[in-house]
Amino acid sequence: MRYYDWKTELVRVMLPLAAAAVLSTAFELGAWPVFVVAAGICTWLLWQLQRLSDWLYRGSGTEPPEAIGMWGQIFDTIYDMQKQATGDHDRLQAMIDYLRASFASMSDAVVMLDHQGNIEWCNDAASELLGLRREDDTGLQLLNLIRAPSFVGYYEAEKYGAPLEMASPVNADIQLSISISFFAERNRLLFARDITRTYRLEKMRKDFVANVSHELRTPLTVINGYLETFAEHGGENPRWDRAIEQMLKQSRRMHHLIQDLMLLSRLESVPKPKEQDRIVLRPLLEMVREEALAAAKGDRSIEIECDDSIVLKGQATEIRSALSNLAVNAARYTAEGDRIVLRWYQTDSHAVLEVQDSGIGIEPQYIPRLTERFYRVDQSRSLDTGGTGLGLAIVKHVLLRHRGELRVRSHPGNGSTFSCLFPKSLATKAESAA
Ligand code: ADP
């Protein structure tokens, strides 16, 4: 296609004007011929503009008007751009249709929300799992349709790192795992997955552990009682005495194991009580210090560093149990003469309950797995110390129930620091304590 530039158009305008000027001079007609030609050129230009405007007004898809020179070029270029844009649009639409078709066929609920939280689109599973109707609910605020407090809290907090588990708003027997992510500007994509089966299996597992622990406790208490009586009245046969001593030791271990399993089951299944205790830390640290001293084989220096100006809001028995596990661990994994510090303080971001020891420490590669049930860095040594392998799992669950987290820093051979980081909102001034 030939390319016209402004010089060609200039020639096209100037030629008739020059001819008019020559005509005026030759026949002494004054400025009239030039004026008439200039008026003609202006009219022609305006007519071209009118055609362009009419064509654009008719919308894309119609053929452009025929025109010469630069005007033809403008019409053709706009026409090509329109065709290109229509092609792009069709391709994008096809892609959106394809994605929607695949989302629509999913068994998980999918809901697309605009930046104001209005429903833009949802699939059929969203009606089954969340009670949303694509035709009627499109354009409505999602929070007006799903009003479960746990969902509203999760949605508004905008911390979508972990999914929310909740009962379906349409059928309480269906358990859902809901995850939300942002896309585009502030639009949101919500997925809801039916996890009823996994939830039931998990519940069965928890119930099983809780029931087995409970059922084992009574016979074990009887066995323990008899063994203690035998141990008290022993002395006749040293071989039997040794055997009874071993049996007593193992049955006590089992007793601790069952206690820990039952505590873990309770922490997992019993809902968090609404009422919070105001825990004054110094007496608690002192009590735990005594426990740790009793658990230690040999001398330990156990110091307390406590910020008495703040108290912790939480469940006193649970916090005590977590702290006691950390302190007893510190006593177990240190040697005679080592130092242990129990601390309570606050930083700019957290309230911290901490147990530091100068004991054997832990290799960095083991640290991420410490809170797994029955995970032990050194099987033989842990059994030797009488641990159950559940202590740090209990600490983790207690912290989860207090919106806290466990941070472990350790240097093999130089000791470890286990810090329970609580949100600052759980620490209040001691004066306001009841
Ligand atoms: P256990 O009853 O075996 O102590 P825990 O869950 O309390 O079980 O701890 C898990 C593992 O973490 C322990 O087996 C031990 O290897 C390691 N550990 C816990 N606390 C300490 C510590 N203060 N120093 C060194 N190792 C520790």
Side-chain angles (χ1 to χ4, degrees):
M1 193 171 74
R2 184 178 160 196
Y3 181 75
Y4 295 92
D5 62 8
W6 66 277
K7 284 177 246 155
T8 331
E9 284 307 302
L10 188 67
V11 172
R12 204 191 299 282
V13 170
M14 292 311 283
L15 266 181
L17 281 175
V22 171
L23 199 71
S24 317
T25 324
F27 299 99
E28 293 179 356
L29 295 173
W32 277 105
V34 176
F35 176 73
V36 170
V37 169
I41 291 171
C42 283
T43 312
W44 183 78
L45 286 173
L46 285 173
W47 179 61
Q48 297 300 337
L49 269 178
Q50 176 71 51
R51 294 170 79 207
L52 174 63
S53 164
D54 288 349
W55 175 56
L56 291 177
Y57 186 73
R58 281 201 299 277
S60 57
T62 52
E63 290 281 324
E66 284 298 326
I68 53 160
M70 240 178 163
W71 281 101
Q73 193 165 285
I74 289 172
F75 287 144
D76 290 344
T77 311
I78 294 178
Y79 186 55
D80 286 347
M81 281 165 66
Q82 276 185 346
K83 277 203 293 196
Q84 171 89 24
T86 312
D88 288 350
H89 176 268
D90 290 349
R91 262 194 306 282
L92 277 175
Q93 190 58 47
M95 199 182 288
I96 290 172
D97 290 347
Y98 177 76
L99 282 176
R100 282 195 171 166
S102 54
F103 277 161
S105 69
M106 278 172 75
S107 53
D108 294 352
V110 183
V111 186
M112 285 177 181
L113 303 165
D114 67 13
H115 64 285
Q116 289 176 318
N118 300 319
I119 300 174
E120 280 192 326
W121 182 85
C122 60
N123 65 356
D124 292 341
S127 125
E128 212 176 294
L129 299 177
L130 298 169
L132 304 177
R133 293 151 306 166
R134 197 185 314 169
E135 283 78 25
D136 301 342
D137 294 341
T138 302
L140 299 185
Q141 273 278 326
L142 180 70
L143 286 191
N144 288 340
L145 301 170
I146 305 179
R147 304 197 54 83
S150 59
F151 178 78
V152 176
Y154 178 70
Y155 182 91
E156 286 180 341
E158 296 190 358
K159 289 185 184 143
Y160 302 141
L164 166 76
E165 290 189 8
M166 63 176 256
S168 157
V170 271
N171 181 351
D173 288 338
I174 299 179
Q175 195 67 20
L176 298 177
S177 165
I178 294 186
S179 46
I180 300 180
S181 51
F182 283 110
F183 73 101
E185 293 282 293
R186 294 272 299 163
N187 295 15
R188 283 174 245 225
L189 185 61
L190 179 151
F191 282 97
R193 196 153 51 89
D194 182 347
I195 53 159
T196 313
R197 207 179 111 77
T198 326
Y199 179 76
R200 285 204 186 125
L201 284 173
E202 181 68 4
K203 188 161 180 335
M204 267 166 62
R205 178 192 66 77
K206 285 179 194 164
D207 289 351
F208 177 77
V209 174
N211 290 337
V212 166
S213 315
H214 189 77
E215 292 301 323
L216 281 177
R217 201 169 58 160
T218 317
L220 199 67
T221 312
V222 176
I223 294 171
N224 230 346
Y226 279 118
L227 286 173
E228 268 165 16
T229 315
F230 289 152
E232 269 171 36
H233 298 94
E236 281 171 23
N237 185 338
R239 273 179 62 198
W240 280 108
D241 287 350
R242 240 191 340 271
I244 287 170
E245 197 188 310
Q246 280 300 315
M247 284 197 280
L248 197 57
K249 193 173 156 200
Q250 291 305 325
S251 86
R252 278 188 189 138
R253 233 194 107 224
M254 243 165 110
H255 183 71
H256 284 140
L257 189 63
I258 286 169
Q259 270 183 328
D260 278 359
L261 276 173
M262 287 176 67
L263 175 58
L264 254 182
S265 297
R266 222 175 29 247
L267 289 173
E268 274 186 333
S269 51
V270 177
K272 217 165 48 172
K274 290 233 160 50
E275 282 295 302
Q276 286 183 321
D277 305 315
R278 286 176 174 276
I279 309 163
V280 183
L281 268 299
R282 187 172 287 276
L284 185 66
L285 290 171
E286 275 162 6
M287 207 158 18
V288 165
R289 178 176 181 271
E290 294 310 313
E291 264 179 63
L293 282 172
K297 291 180 186 147
D299 257 4
R300 301 283 188 284
S301 133
I302 305 185
E303 291 162 29
I304 292 176
E305 291 174 12
C306 179
D307 180 348
D308 292 311
S309 69
I310 45 167
V311 296
L312 175 66
K313 285 191 288 178
Q315 299 309 309
T317 46
E318 293 180 14
I319 297 293
R320 189 207 144 113
S321 164
L323 185 61
S324 149
N325 271 305
L326 292 178
V328 169
N329 272 354
R332 281 186 191 141
Y333 300 106
T334 45
E336 186 137 6
D338 271 331
R339 180 170 175 256
I340 297 171
V341 187
L342 311 178
R343 277 195 201 97
W344 166 240
Y345 61 96
Q346 59 178 335
T347 65
D348 288 343
S349 52
H350 292 100
V352 188
L353 198 49
E354 190 169 271
V355 178
Q356 183 181 5
D357 68 61
S358 60
I360 58 170
I362 308 159
E363 299 277 346
Q365 70 269 28
Y366 301 126
I367 291 180
R369 297 195 59 191
L370 288 183
T371 54
E372 286 174 23
R373 280 153 211 233
F374 298 113
Y375 182 79
R376 283 148 169 159
V377 173
D378 180 339
Q379 194 75 12
S380 56
R381 189 167 49 201
S382 291
L383 290 180
D384 203 39
T385 59
T388 60
L390 294 172
L392 292 181
I394 290 174
V395 174
K396 179 181 135 183
H397 274 84
V398 168
L399 290 181
L400 274 179
R401 284 161 71 88
H402 289 80
R403 290 182 285 125
E405 59 176 293
L406 180 67
R407 190 178 63 197
V408 184
R409 284 165 296 169
S410 189
H411 302 282
N414 278 329
S416 318
T417 306
F418 288 78
S419 311
C420 305
L421 308 180
F422 296 96
K424 211 100 203 252
S425 56
L426 290 191
T428 47
K429 286 232 171 336
E431 300 89 73
S432 60

